[in-house]
Amino acid sequence: MKLENIKIVLVETTHPGNIGAAARAMKNMGLSQLVLVNPRCAVDHQAYARASGADDVLNDLVKHASLTDAVADCVLVVGTTARTRSLVWPALTPNSLAQKLAETESDQPVAVVFGREDSGLTNEELQHCHYSVTIPTNPDFSSLNVAAAIQVISYEIYNRLQDDSADEPPPRSRLESPADSEQLEGLFEHLQRLMIDIDFLDQDNPRQIMKRLRRLYQRAEPTVNEVNILRGILSSVQKLKHYPGGDESTTKDTKNTKKY
Ligand code: SAH
C-alpha cells in the first residue's frame, strides 16, 4: 500500500480550523487525499491559516454527501473511535493499522475515517468499517482533538510505510483483488433482501443480525471473486421455484445479476 492511496475521511466536521490542522498533519506525514463527508463549515481563511502551507491538500480535497459514497472505491475502511461500543468491532491499534496497511496489496484506495468533534462516529457509520482503531490514552480522558488523532495515526502509517514506498506489489488480477466497499454493500443488500424474503430476518425486529453479518464478511476481507460467488448463491436461491415472491423476486434478481 502506498501513502498516496490512503484517504483521510472527516465526517461532519464543524470547525474550519480542524480541517486546516488535519491537512497540515497529513502533509507532515506524506498523505494528500483529504475527503470531507457533509462538512458543517466552510473551508475558509481559518482552515488555510491552520494548514500552515498545506494549501495543496485543502485545494485538492473532495466532498461527498455520505460516508457510503466517500468509501465506495476503498478496499479497506477503518473507523477511529475513542469509545468502546456495545457491539464489539474488530479493533486495531494505530501501530497494527499501519502494519495492516503495509500488508494490503492493492492499488485501490483505503480510508481512515474520523468522526464529529462533539459526538464522534455513529454506530451505523462504524459498521461500514472493516476495523475500528483506538489510540491508547488515559482511560479517564480518552478523546483527542480530531486533528491530533489524525496526527498520531498518520505518523504510525508514515513510519511503517515510508520504507515500503519503493516496493511494487506483485500484480493481482481484478477478481483476486479485495472487494471494495461498494461491492460489499451490494452483497449486504442482496443478503438482507433474501433473508427478509425467506422470513429469516424480521424487519420489525431485526436484532443485530445484519450488524453481525457485516462484521463477519468485513473481517474476512473477501476478494471480488468470492463476493461474486456468494451473490451467485443468493441469486440461485432466488431463482428456486418455491422462492417466496415467485416471479417478482426472479425479475428483481435478473437485474441484480447483471449488476455484478
Ligand atoms: N466525544 C466523541 C469524541 C469525538 S473526538 C466520542 O465519544 O466519540 C473526534 C474524533 O477524533 C473521533 O470521532 C475520532 O475520529 C478521533 N479520536 C479522538 N480521540 C480518539 C482516540 N483516542 N482514538 C481514536 N480516535 C480518536
Side-chain angles (χ1 to χ4, degrees):
M1 174 58 52
K2 294 201 180 108
L3 289 170
E4 68 211 41
N5 286 337
I6 297 170
K7 294 188 192 185
I8 298 293
V9 181
L10 301 190
V11 178
E12 297 199 345
T13 309
T14 50
H15 294 296
N18 281 337
I19 296 175
R24 180 183 189 176
M26 288 170 60
K27 190 166 179 178
N28 284 144
M29 298 300 145
L31 301 176
S32 53
Q33 288 203 57
L34 177 58
V35 178
L36 304 184
V37 173
N38 201 15
R40 299 296 188 174
C41 62
V43 181
D44 61 8
H45 64 280
Q46 283 184 67
Y48 279 88
R50 290 285 300 279
S52 298
D55 294 17
D56 47 344
V57 177
L58 292 181
N59 293 342
D60 294 346
L61 68 77
V62 175
K63 291 183 192 172
H64 284 283
S66 75
L67 180 59
T68 315
D69 290 348
V71 302
D73 60 347
C74 293
V75 291
L76 184 72
V77 183
V78 178
T80 56
T81 177
R83 288 181 285 149
T84 45
R85 312 283 174 137
S86 54
L87 185 66
V88 179
W89 218 241
L92 298 171
T93 62
N95 187 268
S96 58
L97 164 64
Q99 182 60 31
K100 177 97 208 142
L101 294 178
E103 289 161 5
T104 302
E105 288 166 5
S106 176
D107 275 340
Q108 266 182 267
V110 301
V112 189
V113 186
F114 293 83
R116 299 155 188 81
E117 289 95 333
D118 58 349
S119 57
L121 294 172
T122 64
N123 285 335
E124 212 263 329
E125 285 161 350
L126 206 57
Q127 282 152 23
H128 279 80
C129 302
H130 294 82
Y131 294 93
S132 72
V133 58
T134 299
I135 300 164
T137 56
N138 173 356
D140 299 328
F141 197 65
S142 62
S143 176
L144 279 76
N145 165 271
V146 64
I150 292 170
Q151 185 74 77
V152 171
I153 288 177
S154 305
Y155 165 73
E156 291 286 352
I157 294 173
Y158 179 73
N159 200 25
R160 180 67 190 76
L161 290 200
Q162 57 168 338
D163 302 336
D164 290 357
S165 315
D167 296 349
E168 279 297 315
R172 281 218 223 176
S173 76
R174 199 189 91 81
L175 286 175
E176 286 308 308
S177 301
D180 64 26
S181 204
E182 189 175 22
Q183 288 154 350
L184 279 181
E185 289 304 323
L187 170 65
F188 297 143
E189 273 170 36
H190 200 166
L191 193 56
Q192 182 169 18
R193 198 175 63 235
L194 183 133
M195 290 194 304
I196 292 168
D197 288 346
I198 63 172
D199 283 337
F200 184 81
L201 189 69
D202 178 358
Q203 272 174 299
D204 298 328
N205 181 24
R207 293 178 289 145
Q208 304 252 59
I209 291 175
M210 272 321 294
K211 291 178 197 161
R212 290 183 194 283
L213 288 173
R214 292 183 81 93
R215 185 173 61 173
L216 168 67
Y217 285 113
Q218 287 174 158
R219 187 171 70 226
E221 296 176 29
T223 62
V224 172
N225 206 352
E226 288 161 345
V227 169
N228 286 348
I229 293 169
L230 289 167
R231 295 202 58 178
I233 296 169
L234 298 177
S235 297
S236 295
V237 173
Q238 288 175 314
K239 282 186 200 129
L240 291 175
K241 204 164 145 211
H242 298 298
Y243 185 79
D247 291 347
E248 199 201 326
S249 309
T250 316
T251 324
K252 267 193 282 179
D253 170 58
T254 315
K255 281 190 207 134
N256 211 5
T257 311
K258 282 192 191 132
K259 214 167 72 182
Y260 69 91

